[in-house]
Amino acid sequence: MSTTTEAPHKPTAGPKTAQSLTLADLVKTYASRGREQVTAVKGIDLAIEPGELVALLGPSGCGKTTTLRMIAGLETVTSGSIKIGDREVSQLPASKRGIGVGFESYALYPPMSVRDNLLYGLKARKVKGAEKMVASICDRLEMNDMLELRPAGLSSGQKQRVALARALVRNPPVLLLDEPLSHLDASARQRVRRELKVLQREFGYTTIVVTHDQVEALSLADRLAVMDAGVVQQFGTPDEVFDDPANLFVAEFVGEPQINVIRGVAKVTDGKTRVEIGADSGSLETGVTSVADGTRVTVGIRPQDCSLSAEGSGAEGISTTVAYFEHLLEFGLATTTVAGMEEGVVVQTPAQQSYEPEQKVVVSAPPERVYLFDVETGVRLR
Ligand SMILES: Nc1ncnc2c1ncn2[C@@H]1O[C@H](COP(=O)(O)OP(=O)(O)O)[C@@H](O)[C@H]1O
Ligand SMILES: [Mg+2]
């Protein structure tokens, strides 16, 4: 399995202005009088290719907005470097960086209609075809019903689309979007998300989208930077992050339903490693080769990688009891319990199968999909 972070997407039709964006050991410490210092960003390195779309994904408070604001020039940098192409921009004022920012809080001019707000900057710069471009982008972001409205009359979802459109029409080489779709309802969000991705491809902006929503991140991004506590935990394609998580945080944060996390003990015999689960509930083979016999480990198995067999069928795995079973549309979810353990195992089952509470079943998984993590640090064991 590859852990390379080579950019998967090389834009072919993007504008000549598409630029790489490189962060090196970027740090932000907020120091406020009378309060403790907060280091919100703790040394981030990211090399983003020209025209690439990167999603910065992480829980609330992990430093996403701070990172974006430093790149935009809306927040000073404590230390480290920000380069657009070969140009160091971390000490430049925001207006000199050539960055389009889709922050919601960005002011609109209250007396002007949405359309005029969007055209304002373009007309000032005498951009050719401005009206046509604004009309086309607004059409694609489903904004036709709001073009004549004034900002005060807009709903939060509408304001958010205006902020997005305003960033897009400026056609910046680098585009930064902070939770751009959070106020849209579910169906509009899905459509606008798709259009955003198509527009990003057409225009070729190098883009960072901040989100705490993994579906949004997975659907938009060429690569994901998964953040926690001011640190990028993993930077890779959606498949790399899902299939080959660097640590327990990433494994738990990405994936729906969430990965199963269970305590286990490694048993090494004849060069093969198995993990024993519970006191007498069986074991699973794993592809991990670096753990010593008897090591306590944290075991991670995705519900999608598990399968169930009837007890007594001879299948190797963990003996469990079905606690409950949910029929969803395209699949089922069986929640099972392991004797003497708090942690259960959730198994995604094929649509046509059905299970009853109290049913005894064996949970199996392919060895290469049975992940082990260090009990203390959460680092992936290989
Ligand atoms: N202006 C500020 N002064 C002090 N602390 C701040 C400031 N802005 C953000 N923080 C702190 O920095 C951390 C990261 O915040 P933020 O970048 O907004 O996270 P996210 O966007 O991932 O939710 C949080 O602990 C937050 O409280
Ligand atoms: Mg934020």
Side-chain angles (χ1 to χ4, degrees):
M1 209 168 297
S2 158
T3 53
T4 161
T5 53
E6 283 274 306
H9 164 71
K10 290 269 193 295
T12 47
K16 289 186 205 77
T17 50
Q19 301 256 27
S20 62
L21 173 64
T22 313
L23 312 182
D25 204 10
L26 192 62
V27 173
K28 177 66 187 185
T29 301
Y30 290 110
S32 47
R33 208 178 298 236
R35 272 197 281 154
E36 249 184 273
Q37 286 194 348
V38 180
T39 300
V41 174
K42 298 177 184 161
I44 284 187
D45 299 306
L46 276 185
I48 302 176
E49 300 286 332
E52 193 178 11
L53 196 164
V54 167
L56 209 53
L57 173 69
S60 180
C62 74
K64 305 182 297 294
T65 295
T66 301
T67 302
L68 224 56
R69 288 177 59 84
M70 283 194 282
I71 301 169
L74 302 173
E75 195 66 74
T76 59
V77 165
T78 303
S79 63
S81 140
I82 303 170
K83 279 188 175 167
I84 296 178
D86 298 329
R87 204 160 57 105
E88 176 64 44
V89 300
S90 60
Q91 305 305 319
L92 294 180
S95 59
K96 296 255 158 67
R97 295 193 187 188
I99 289 177
V101 183
F103 291 108
E104 242 179 283
S105 53
Y106 233 57
L108 297 169
Y109 301 105
M112 284 188 198
S113 68
V114 165
R115 186 203 310 275
D116 289 339
N117 261 292
L118 292 173
L119 284 169
Y120 183 74
L122 301 177
K123 284 193 166 157
R125 284 188 286 131
K126 300 196 164 54
V127 173
K128 266 199 227 147
E131 310 249 357
K132 214 169 154 192
M133 175 158 73
V134 167
S136 154
I137 287 178
C138 289
D139 185 44
R140 293 166 68 172
L141 299 182
E142 303 183 10
M143 294 172 60
N144 289 329
D145 56 345
M146 63 179 97
L147 290 177
E148 307 310 327
L149 301 180
R150 309 235 183 276
L154 299 175
S155 72
S156 56
Q158 290 175 322
K159 273 192 195 134
Q160 202 159 35
R161 270 173 285 168
V162 176
L164 179 57
R166 187 150 104 155
L168 292 171
V169 298
R170 295 180 60 197
N171 195 11
V174 174
L175 177 65
L176 306 176
L177 303 172
D178 194 355
E179 310 263 3
L181 311 174
S182 58
H183 297 319
L184 304 187
D185 67 51
S187 80
R189 184 185 301 198
Q190 218 176 46
R191 296 192 303 271
V192 173
R193 187 174 78 201
R194 204 168 43 219
E195 282 307 318
L196 171 60
K197 172 106 186 181
V198 174
L199 283 164
Q200 192 271 342
R201 282 285 184 273
E202 276 175 27
F203 284 79
Y205 333 94
T206 304
T207 305
I208 300 183
V209 178
V210 160
T211 176
H212 63 274
D213 176 347
Q214 59 161 312
V215 174
E216 196 163 297
L218 291 168
S219 64
L220 280 173
D222 297 310
R223 285 190 290 178
L224 301 179
V226 184
M227 262 185 96
D228 185 41
V231 175
V232 172
Q233 305 287 334
Q234 188 165 2
F235 185 39
T237 63
D239 284 342
E240 283 166 2
V241 169
F242 183 80
D243 291 333
D244 199 9
N247 56 42
L248 187 59
F249 175 83
V250 174
E252 289 194 275
F253 199 78
V254 180
E256 176 64 41
Q258 213 177 21
I259 193 168
N260 294 295
V261 177
I262 331 161
R263 287 163 297 158
V265 178
K267 291 286 158 196
V268 184
T269 37
D270 304 331
K272 276 216 172 105
T273 307
R274 302 186 68 86
V275 275
E276 288 186 342
I277 310 286
D280 194 20
S281 294
S283 64
L284 290 171
E285 188 181 340
T286 166
V288 175
T289 54
S290 69
V291 287
D293 188 48
T295 311
R296 288 189 311 118
V297 290
T298 301
V299 184
I301 327 164
R302 295 203 181 278
Q304 298 89 339
D305 293 329
C306 294
S307 55
L308 292 182
S309 335
E311 202 179 52
S313 65
E316 281 204 41
I318 318 168
S319 302
T320 70
T321 305
V322 175
Y324 56 91
F325 179 73
E326 298 157 273
H327 251 307
L328 303 173
L329 283 177
E330 290 122 30
F331 56 85
L333 283 182
T335 301
T336 69
T337 56
V338 183
M341 295 193 65
E342 277 169 38
E343 310 98 295
V345 181
V346 175
V347 177
Q348 185 169 315
T349 57
Q352 62 277 17
Q353 286 177 13
S354 191
Y355 295 87
E356 295 298 325
E358 304 299 322
Q359 209 176 327
K360 304 278 184 207
V361 286
V362 174
V363 176
S364 311
E368 71 278 10
R369 308 294 293 190
V370 177
Y371 308 131
L372 304 189
F373 303 93
D374 184 287
V375 171
E376 304 294 332
T377 63
V379 168
R380 174 95 175 272
L381 304 169
R382 305 280 179 174

